[in-house]
Amino acid sequence: MKFSGFRVVAEALKGNTGWRPLWRNPEPENEYDYLIVGGGGHGLATAYYLAKTFRQSRIAVLEKSWLGSGNIGRNTTIIRSNYLLPGNQPFYEFSMKLWEGLEQELNFNAMVSQRGVINLIHSDSQRDAFRRRGNSVMLSGAGARLLSREDLRSIAPFLNFDDERFPIRGGLLQPRGGTARHDGVAWGYARGADLHGVDLIQNCEVTGFRIVDGRIRGVETTRGYIGAGKVGVAVAGSSGRVMAMAGMRLPIESHVLQAFVSEGLKPTLPGVITFGAGHFYISQSDKGGLVFGGDIDGYNSYAQRGNLPVIEGAAECAMALMPSLGRARLLRMWGGLMDMSMDGSPIIDRTDVEGLYFNGGWCIGGFKATPASGYAFAHLLATNTPHETARSYRLDRFARGYVIDETGTGAQPNLH
Ligand code: FAD
């Protein structure tokens, strides 16, 4: 399709009647080889790699609402691979490498922008922890730089360096980190999957699993029963509810995470800045809006709706970090459902039901994982063996004591 400024103007004058949808809108077949439940980033990426890379066919994605209506379209778009633990680091670095080639792979502008991610340091002990993380990240080849207070001041002079409670002593920079346009990622994977023959079925909620003699046979949906050879579940914040329909209780709780965007401003922020001590992080979108967020809401919920105390907390942190923000107007805020695992790391695994696979537990940081998660889940579904970077993401690690407790390192709740 030809896409130019002239075309946009011509379409506007014609009432936008000439645009063609990026994917088909098929009726569901009676049966597929593979059903992916959840049309978020992870489900769409899984379907794409399953068809394109692993050359499987007869695949459908079942989405209860519209594609991209969940967290893939609600997140704050941060990507990075500065993970510390051996269970996580290779996986997130694999994801970063996929991000770096994603636009060529999908022939779609996902606005991947490696403008750098800085984690602020407020104390000597935090500097030690971040130095350790930085060294480990450098050893893995993902790239990191420890910034002194003066280095940081030259990059971000507007920060409140001398806050009484949380003076800023420096930062840890991952130059290859940055942002990507979240819904562009969903659309790119959706179009790519559709071009490879995947049926993307919207407004189709999975309401039950048909399991016979310990094997999956298909799913019940709001559009009728659909048979399947294998079923992969990637429903993020709805993981607990959906897997309960297969008789499973997961080590996952759902919480709301809220985010905020200001009116458009001139370029102000150099990249992403995380203020772990204050539970706050911020970046600037290409449109100029300051995009920021805080911590998860404290109680469990399946409602994509936030609460006022968290809004107040985020605003207070914003003022503590960047007092000049007080003059910007807040444009809007929203919430998404987080699938919080008990060690902060994800699960990509088979289940006790033959042919039923699970992908979830992404907590507050699954957007950056989208490419690797899709690739690894497709690998698992196609070959029945885990991808080499996702071997640690087993469901039984909680029972065996092999947790990947990355929540305990530094200011993790705010690293995103
Ligand atoms: P989703 O897009 O939520 O996809 C799951 C889909 O499953 C949904 O579309 C849902 O409708 C569908 N579904 C649910 N139940 C059913 C059913 N029964 N039948 C059929 N379909 C069903 N991560 C980062 O890495 N960086 C960030 O900066 C970042 N910031 C965030 C900020 C906010 C405010 C939020 C909410 C999240 C943030 N995240 C971030 C986390 C990230 O967005 C998620 O971890 C990730 O998007 C989850 O995977 P997904 O895209 O597949 O989820």
Side-chain angles (χ1 to χ4, degrees):
M1 178 190 293
K2 254 204 153 359
F3 208 98
S4 69
F6 293 119
R7 172 91 198 273
V8 173
V9 174
E11 283 298 335
L13 294 173
K14 287 195 304 189
N16 286 311
T17 49
W19 301 114
R20 291 224 312 278
L22 286 184
W23 50 83
R24 296 166 296 129
N25 189 20
E27 284 299 311
E29 305 278 344
N30 293 334
E31 188 161 2
Y32 290 89
D33 288 350
Y34 296 92
L35 281 180
I36 309 298
V37 185
H42 293 219
L44 292 168
T46 303
Y48 171 78
Y49 291 116
L50 204 46
K52 157 90 190 318
T53 310
F54 296 96
R55 302 190 174 281
Q56 302 300 302
S57 53
R58 295 188 4 106
I59 305 164
V61 175
L62 307 181
E63 165 54 46
K64 76 171 177 187
S65 184
W66 71 90
L67 297 181
S69 55
N71 294 331
I72 185 68
R74 293 167 184 264
N75 64 71
T76 42
T77 77
I78 299 169
I79 60 174
R80 62 182 175 87
S81 62
N82 56 353
Y83 280 72
L84 175 70
L85 298 181
N88 279 331
Q89 173 42 233
F91 175 82
Y92 284 96
E93 178 54 15
F94 176 51
S95 206
M96 183 59 86
K97 293 217 168 73
L98 291 174
W99 280 117
E100 286 168 339
L102 191 72
E103 288 160 328
Q104 284 74 20
E105 167 79 27
L106 299 176
N107 188 23
F108 199 89
N109 185 4
M111 294 168 76
V112 177
S113 171
Q114 293 177 289
R115 56 184 79 174
V117 172
I118 298 172
N119 310 133
L120 297 180
I121 295 172
H122 305 280
S123 65
D124 291 344
S125 56
Q126 203 180 17
R127 182 183 296 109
D128 288 347
F130 277 170
R131 180 175 281 134
R132 178 167 171 244
R133 176 186 287 269
N135 283 337
S136 159
V137 171
M138 281 197 296
L139 279 174
S140 74
R145 215 183 114 202
L146 202 63
L147 302 175
S148 68
R149 189 175 148 104
E150 289 65 41
D151 292 336
L152 189 59
R153 204 187 276 281
S154 67
I155 299 173
F158 46 80
L159 295 178
N160 184 8
F161 282 82
D162 300 311
D163 182 74
E164 291 284 320
R165 276 204 299 171
F166 304 121
I168 297 171
R169 302 259 169 87
L172 179 66
L173 166 70
Q174 188 188 22
R176 288 167 65 232
T179 56
R181 166 124 192 217
H182 49 12
D183 38 18
V185 175
W187 300 332
Y189 274 122
R191 187 184 69 161
D194 178 79
L195 287 173
H196 285 90
V198 174
D199 282 357
L200 304 174
I201 301 173
Q202 305 182 68
N203 299 312
C204 182
E205 178 172 0
V206 170
T207 52
F209 294 97
R210 196 172 290 180
I211 298 165
V212 181
D213 297 332
R215 200 188 193 300
I216 196 85
R217 301 287 172 193
V219 298
E220 310 290 347
T221 81
T222 45
R223 294 175 68 172
Y225 173 77
I226 305 176
K230 292 182 177 179
V231 176
V233 176
V235 292
S238 301
S239 293
R241 275 205 298 208
V242 171
M243 293 310 279
M245 296 191 274
M248 291 178 60
R249 184 153 181 255
L250 299 176
I252 288 178
E253 286 181 2
S254 287
H255 289 255
V256 173
L257 180 69
Q258 304 182 57
F260 311 83
V261 67
S262 77
E263 61 185 327
L265 302 172
K266 286 185 179 169
T268 308
L269 291 178
V272 180
I273 298 178
T274 77
F275 175 34
H279 294 281
F280 180 79
Y281 64 102
I282 186 162
S283 66
Q284 189 166 21
S285 77
D286 291 310
K287 261 187 357 193
L290 299 176
V291 181
F292 53 93
D295 211 345
I296 53 173
D297 288 10
Y299 50 86
N300 298 150
S301 173
Y302 285 112
Q304 290 187 132
R305 205 176 37 229
N307 66 29
L308 282 171
V310 170
I311 299 176
E312 195 178 5
E316 279 173 0
C317 289
M319 290 299 290
L321 182 69
M322 274 177 74
S324 54
L325 267 182
R327 297 178 57 197
R329 272 172 295 209
L330 193 63
L331 208 59
R332 59 197 168 88
M333 52 76 59
W334 62 91
L337 282 182
M338 303 293 87
D339 39 337
M340 304 299 293
S341 70
M342 294 298 106
D343 60 357
S345 297
I347 297 158
I348 302 178
D349 204 357
R350 293 181 282 251
T351 69
D352 288 342
V353 177
E354 206 189 326
L356 178 64
Y357 300 77
F358 176 71
N359 173 319
W362 295 101
C363 302
I364 55 175
F367 176 63
K368 68 183 71 59
T370 306
S373 166
Y375 197 103
F377 202 32
H379 185 286
L380 181 66
L381 282 157
T383 67
N384 215 28
T385 55
H387 185 257
E388 56 180 340
T389 62
R391 280 208 189 102
S392 307
Y393 295 154
R394 293 174 56 158
L395 199 45
D396 68 359
R397 70 175 185 267
F398 301 94
R400 292 162 55 242
Y402 284 84
V403 292
I404 315 165
D405 190 1
E406 189 107 18
T407 46
T409 49
Q412 178 59 24
N414 263 5
L415 287 178
H416 280 259

